[in-house]
């Protein structure tokens, strides 16, 4: 593994006997019932390697995370209690939860830690200083540790007290296993890649992704577009999409993008057929060619001819970055295009295959191929900012002198 930008891997840090603050992303979904249990523990299992490494080395571990959006107020329903309980279960070891993110209770929990023991601060966003990146709060957090480790890639694009502010008040810092792998693999997409380099981009809106699309134009050989955003591009080319979701105010943006792509010799693949239906919950659907008028129906997935073309493009590529579902994959009737893209990436054993984006990552898991692509990024927004070549505050902080 190569970590650019002068970042130290947690394995290289002298953590024995030291108090190590680990910023983790334990922002897990909870069940809606009164019990509020952890509904999906994949974010907890993701950080186990870093925690287990620190336990084995005899560090005194202080975990910090946010959960939900308490907006700087104590919201009892957003306590990290169920998360700490699940983590303890997974580790087979006690995890002591402080009753506040900072203050006397937190200091006491941290002060009592012996080597190899784990404490967890209460939801960092219970304190307004977290999202405001307030320096007093940042110094308080920094006072709980000798060494800082960030393993929360998903929040690295936010300059908060626990991701950025506190880091300059700690002398030694490094990246945990999750963070290091994200930086390692996503950086490869910004360097010299094996070609052809294909980007597959879909999802809801052109306006959400235009910066990503623009940045990709400077790096890729081809872009395959799907999802609702394809409707806007097709409309910009004069096609009639019936009642499909189209961003009528983004047609000029779409045309401008297509012109830049052709100037830069980047091939743009657009759907040649789509799956149309009367709505998301329709009982039936049809396939129509893009040149046919779909009448009062809406395009909700790419069609089989498009799937075949995208599959072939993915098979030819030696680097593939995918963001954004090809259709309304949450509904089985409109999931075929998205599942086919996921499988095609998994089937290409010669390419570096990377998936970024919250819904796309969920789709890869749904398609059952998460372990057959090179990397599924744990960060939605963070991975998109990274591949645009933007500086992420949480990563910049790890590198700064
Ligand atoms: P990601 O989280 O991977 O970046 P987005 O959030 O941009 O992806 O887009 C995902 C959403 O786009 C999904 O909820 C999906 O249902 C929706 N979507 C995809 N294709 C269509 C379509 N043709 N019409 C309506 N919604 C769509
Ligand atoms: Mg999304």
């Amino acid at each position: 593994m190569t970590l650019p930008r002068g970042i130290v891997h947690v394995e290289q840090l002298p953590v024995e006997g030291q108090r190590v603050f680990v910023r983790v992303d334990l922002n897990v979904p909870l069940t809606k019932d009164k019990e509020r249990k952890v509904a999906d523990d994949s974010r907890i299992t993701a950080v186990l390697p870093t925690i287990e490494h620190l336990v084995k080395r005899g560090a005194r571990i202080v975990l910090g995370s946010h959960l939900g959006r308490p907006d700087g107020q104590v919201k009892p329903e957003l306590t990290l209690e169920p998360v700490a309980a699940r983590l303890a279960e997974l580790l087979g070891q006690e995890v002591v939860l402080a009753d506040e993110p900072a203050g006397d209770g937190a200091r006491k929990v941290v002060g009592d830690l012996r080597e190899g023991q784990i404490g967890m601060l209460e939801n960092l966003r219970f304190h307004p200083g977290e999202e405001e990146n307030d320096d007093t709060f940042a110094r308080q957090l920094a006072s709980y540790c000798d060494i800082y480790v960030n393993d929360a890639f998903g929040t690295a694009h936010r300059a908060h007290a626990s991701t950025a502010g506190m880091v300059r008040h700690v002398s030694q810092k490094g990246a945990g296993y999750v963070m290091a792998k994200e930086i390692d693999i996503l950086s490869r997409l910004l360097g010299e890649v094996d070609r052809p380099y294909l980007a597959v981009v879909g999802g809801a809106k052109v306006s959400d992704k235009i910066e990503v699309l623009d940045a990709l134009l400077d790096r890729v050989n081809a872009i395959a577009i799907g999802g609702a955003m394809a409707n806007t591009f097709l409309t910009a080319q004069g096609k009639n999409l019936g009642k499909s979701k189209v961003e009528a105010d983004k047609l000029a943006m779409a045309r401008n993008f297509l012109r830049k792509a052709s100037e830069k010799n980047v091939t743009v693949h657009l759907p040649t057929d789509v799956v149309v239906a009367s709505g998301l919950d329709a009982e039936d659907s049809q396939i129509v060619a893009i040149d046919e008028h779909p009448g009062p129906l809406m395009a909700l997935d790419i069609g089989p001819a498009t799937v075949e073309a995208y599959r072939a493009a993915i098979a030819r590529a030696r680097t593939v970055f995918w963001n954004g579902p090809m259709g309304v994959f949450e509904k089985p009737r409109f999931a075929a295009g998205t599942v086919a893209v996921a499988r095609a990436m998994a089937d290409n054993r010669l390419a570096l295959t990377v998936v970024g984006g919250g819904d796309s990552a969920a789709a890869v898991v749904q398609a059952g191929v998460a372990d057959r692509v090179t990397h599924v990024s744990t960060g939605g927004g963070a991975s998109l900012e990274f591949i645009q070549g933007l500086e992420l505050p949480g990563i910049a902080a790890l590198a700064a002198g």
Side-chain angles (χ1 to χ4, degrees):
M1 163 157 336
T2 43
L3 280 182
R5 309 162 201 226
I7 295 170
V8 178
H9 194 285
V10 64
E11 286 181 359
Q12 258 80 59
L13 291 167
V15 298
E16 290 76 4
Q18 303 292 304
R19 293 173 310 158
V20 181
F21 179 99
V22 191
R23 179 50 162 107
V24 280
D25 179 0
L26 301 181
N27 183 27
V28 299
L30 298 175
T31 56
K32 301 266 181 292
D33 56 7
K34 216 168 60 259
E35 278 198 80
R36 314 254 330 147
K37 291 180 104 167
V38 174
D40 173 357
D41 64 8
S42 40
R43 286 190 167 155
I44 305 178
T45 53
V47 294
L48 291 179
T50 297
I51 297 172
E52 283 168 344
H53 168 79
L54 293 169
V55 168
K56 213 179 322 153
R57 290 283 189 89
R60 304 159 199 261
I61 301 148
V62 184
L63 302 175
S65 177
H66 71 284
L67 178 64
R69 298 174 181 273
D71 286 331
Q73 286 167 18
V74 177
K75 296 258 169 74
E77 69 276 17
L78 290 175
T79 173
L80 280 169
E81 227 170 80
V83 178
R86 182 74 190 119
L87 175 63
E89 225 168 81
L90 288 166
L91 287 167
Q93 175 177 351
E94 194 186 7
V95 175
V96 186
L97 181 68
D99 60 1
E100 52 187 359
D104 293 339
R107 187 169 305 112
K108 171 92 172 66
V109 166
V110 173
D112 288 347
L113 290 175
R114 304 283 191 81
E115 296 191 358
Q117 291 187 335
I118 303 171
M120 184 186 286
L121 303 177
E122 185 51 286
N123 193 340
L124 295 172
R125 291 189 189 170
F126 281 180
H127 195 296
E130 167 63 358
E131 288 179 89
E132 288 165 8
N133 197 9
D134 171 65
D135 195 50
T136 306
F137 181 59
R139 281 175 194 273
Q140 241 177 328
L141 294 178
S143 75
Y144 303 147
C145 69
D146 312 298
I147 295 178
Y148 173 88
V149 170
N150 194 337
D151 212 21
F153 178 73
T155 48
H157 59 316
R158 306 274 181 238
H160 293 166
S162 68
T163 61
M166 71 179 287
V167 190
R168 63 174 167 272
H169 302 303
V170 185
S171 60
Q172 298 208 65
K173 60 219 170 196
Y177 287 89
V178 172
M179 177 69 95
K181 186 175 183 217
E182 293 276 5
I183 297 173
D184 173 34
I185 295 194
L186 296 175
S187 299
R188 290 192 221 167
L189 293 177
L190 296 178
E192 287 299 320
V193 295
D194 290 340
R195 293 184 181 274
Y197 178 2
L198 171 74
V200 182
V201 184
K205 290 183 180 168
V206 181
S207 43
D208 284 348
K209 303 283 170 71
I210 190 67
E211 285 95 0
V212 179
L213 285 166
D214 273 335
L216 287 168
L217 272 190
D218 290 323
R219 305 191 189 277
V220 302
N221 302 99
I223 302 185
I225 297 179
M229 75 159 72
N231 301 336
T232 302
F233 282 99
L234 291 164
T235 305
Q237 289 186 327
K239 311 288 184 197
N240 190 314
L241 272 288
K243 290 261 182 294
S244 303
K245 220 160 122 185
V246 173
E247 291 160 90
D249 57 338
K250 295 294 176 303
L251 297 178
M253 182 189 269
R255 264 183 227 113
N256 191 28
F257 174 81
L258 293 171
R259 184 182 47 75
K260 278 188 287 187
S262 104
E263 280 166 14
K264 294 184 183 193
N265 270 321
V266 175
T267 306
V268 177
H269 302 279
L270 284 166
T272 54
D273 61 347
V274 283
V275 178
V276 297
S278 56
L280 298 185
D281 295 311
E283 298 283 314
D284 57 4
S285 54
Q286 285 156 246
I287 294 151
V288 300
I290 281 304
D291 293 316
E292 284 172 58
H293 195 305
L297 303 177
M298 51 200 304
L300 296 170
D301 194 8
I302 55 175
T306 308
V307 163
E308 206 32 59
Y310 290 10
R311 194 209 307 274
I314 291 168
R316 277 195 306 274
R318 289 300 169 263
T319 303
V320 187
F321 174 73
W322 175 30
N323 167 257
M326 297 290 99
V328 182
F329 75 102
E330 298 92 335
K331 304 277 178 187
R333 186 178 289 284
F334 309 113
T338 302
V339 170
V341 163
R343 293 213 178 113
M345 287 182 72
D347 288 343
N348 186 337
R349 310 306 296 167
L350 298 174
L352 176 72
T353 48
V354 181
V355 183
D359 291 291
S360 322
V364 172
V365 172
Q366 187 180 314
V369 298
D371 54 351
R372 290 204 286 135
V373 294
T374 311
H375 183 59
V376 181
S377 178
T378 55
S383 60
L384 295 183
E385 290 198 17
F386 196 109
I387 67 126
Q388 285 172 61
L390 298 175
E391 181 177 272
L392 277 57
I395 296 177
L398 290 181

